[in-house]
Amino acid sequence: MNSKNSILLVDPEFDPNTAADCNLLIKITADSFSYAIIDKSNNQLKAVYDQQECQNVSKALSEKLRTDSYLSLPFKEIKASVHTENSIAIPNDLFNEQNLNDFAKFFAEEQSNNLYTQPFANFGFTSIFTLNKFIEETLNVSLSNCKLFDHAAPVLSLSKDNEKLSLVLDFTVGSFNVIYTDGGKLIFQNYFQIENAEEFNYYLLFIINQLNIDTSKTDIYLSGIINDGDSQYKCIEKYFKTINFIPTTGNEVDKKILDDMPAHYYSSLLALDQCG
């Protein structure tokens, strides 16, 4: 444990000299960031770092990239999902790469001038997004050949095989990402920052009522920083009878360093490895 809000787990047999065989996964939210290192030669999870309740994610990330020796290794592949207020899902039948700036004018926040696109073939849409200028510059300077993803990408990866009405909630300590799908079709996606259980309860009720969700017929899946019996879980229990935790994805990956952790804590972080 590095501080009261961060944790680092490392396989004692991890040899940094094998980094060229490893993928680095980074998940950046509005109030946290985490990373994982997976050795692709033997499909072993070698390290996980998580820092929650960041007052300034940009500053904390920059400091970690500067001081963490693991993050300076020459990895085989680097993938990062980054929270942004500027993200729009465009149905593929409306998507035209020549007219992307027409959609960009709807972005709410002034951020980077670089416009990114990401197809989600399983869901029939393409995401366009921009990033916070400082985070974008920090990643580009510190991590060469880093592939950037919309912040919803790993959670959508967790949702792609759900064939029924499904609600997926992915939590940090102070926020949650929500994906609602019907038969593999994306109905709703959003990101909410929350101060307490009462605020979470408000947003959950808002989602249920606005989308007319039949809680008796909808499967709910949880990942991230949430536990059976805590305040957010008790809110969910009021509306859903059966609650499922999403275990870490990729059964072929040896995740023994997480044996003492709840299996769902890093599901979305590790799902980033499945994003193309």
Side-chain angles (χ1 to χ4, degrees), residues 155 167-171 176-179 200 204 207 220-224 226 236 240 246:
V155 191
L167 189 67
V168 176
L169 305 179
D170 181 51
F171 290 85
F176 71 101
N177 209 333
V178 54
I179 302 288
F200 169 68
L204 182 59
I207 292 166
I220 186 163
Y221 298 91
L222 310 180
S223 65
I226 184 171
I236 297 167
F240 295 88
I246 305 175

Side-chain angles (χ1 to χ4, degrees), residues 167 178 180 187-188 206-214:
L167 189 67
V178 54
Y180 180 51
I187 305 299
F188 179 79
F206 172 80
I207 292 166
I208 292 171
N209 292 332
Q210 289 295 308
L211 300 177
N212 294 315
I213 294 176
D214 185 341

Side-chain angles (χ1 to χ4, degrees), residues 74-108:
F75 293 102
K76 177 179 182 179
E77 190 172 12
I78 302 174
K79 299 179 180 180
S81 65
V82 186
H83 171 262
T84 174
E85 296 291 340
N86 288 351
S87 177
I88 298 176
I90 305 172
N92 284 341
D93 56 354
L94 298 178
F95 181 78
N96 185 335
E97 196 162 357
Q98 305 302 317
N99 299 326
L100 293 186
N101 288 329
D102 292 341
F103 294 101
K105 66 185 180 183
F106 296 109
F107 287 150

Side-chain angles (χ1 to χ4, degrees), residues 186-224:
L186 179 66
I187 305 299
F188 179 79
Q189 185 276 321
N190 212 332
Y191 183 92
F192 300 93
Q193 290 183 262
I194 48 176
E195 292 289 336
N196 47 48
E198 289 74 19
E199 191 169 5
F200 169 68
N201 188 74
Y202 167 82
Y203 284 126
L204 182 59
L205 266 180
F206 172 80
I207 292 166
I208 292 171
N209 292 332
Q210 289 295 308
L211 300 177
N212 294 315
I213 294 176
D214 185 341
T215 58
S216 67
K217 297 180 180 179
T218 301
D219 294 333
I220 186 163
Y221 298 91
L222 310 180
S223 65

Side-chain angles (χ1 to χ4, degrees), residues 103-260:
F103 294 101
K105 66 185 180 183
F106 296 109
F107 287 150
E109 300 290 332
E110 182 178 355
Q111 298 190 351
S112 164
N113 291 325
N114 295 317
L115 191 61
Y116 300 92
T117 65
Q118 183 183 353
F120 290 96
N122 289 332
F123 296 97
F125 74 90
T126 297
S127 172
I128 65 169
F129 60 98
T130 61
L131 302 178
N132 172 281
K133 292 180 181 179
F134 185 79
I135 290 180
E136 180 186 61
E137 181 179 352
T138 298
L139 291 173
N140 286 337
V141 170
S142 302
L143 301 172
S144 60
N145 301 317
C146 177
K147 189 172 182 179
L148 300 173
F149 291 86
D150 185 295
H151 64 260
V155 191
L156 283 164
S157 181
L158 294 177
S159 308
K160 66 182 180 181
D161 295 325
N162 294 338
E163 297 181 355
K164 301 178 181 179
L165 284 167
S166 302
L167 189 67
V168 176
L169 305 179
D170 181 51
F171 290 85
T172 70
V173 169
S175 66
F176 71 101
N177 209 333
V178 54
I179 302 288
Y180 180 51
T181 59
D182 182 1
K185 180 181 179 182
L186 179 66
I187 305 299
F188 179 79
Q189 185 276 321
N190 212 332
Y191 183 92
F192 300 93
Q193 290 183 262
I194 48 176
E195 292 289 336
N196 47 48
E198 289 74 19
E199 191 169 5
F200 169 68
N201 188 74
Y202 167 82
Y203 284 126
L204 182 59
L205 266 180
F206 172 80
I207 292 166
I208 292 171
N209 292 332
Q210 289 295 308
L211 300 177
N212 294 315
I213 294 176
D214 185 341
T215 58
S216 67
K217 297 180 180 179
T218 301
D219 294 333
I220 186 163
Y221 298 91
L222 310 180
S223 65
I225 311 303
I226 184 171
N227 295 292
D228 187 347
D230 68 15
S231 54
Q232 279 94 340
Y233 188 93
K234 289 179 179 178
C235 289
I236 297 167
E237 274 188 316
K238 292 189 294 186
Y239 313 109
F240 295 88
K241 292 183 179 180
T242 303
I243 302 173
N244 308 283
F245 286 103
I246 305 175
T248 48
T249 57
N251 292 330
E252 74 283 359
V253 177
D254 178 354
K255 301 177 285 290
K256 64 182 178 181
I257 66 170
L258 296 179
D259 283 350
D260 295 328

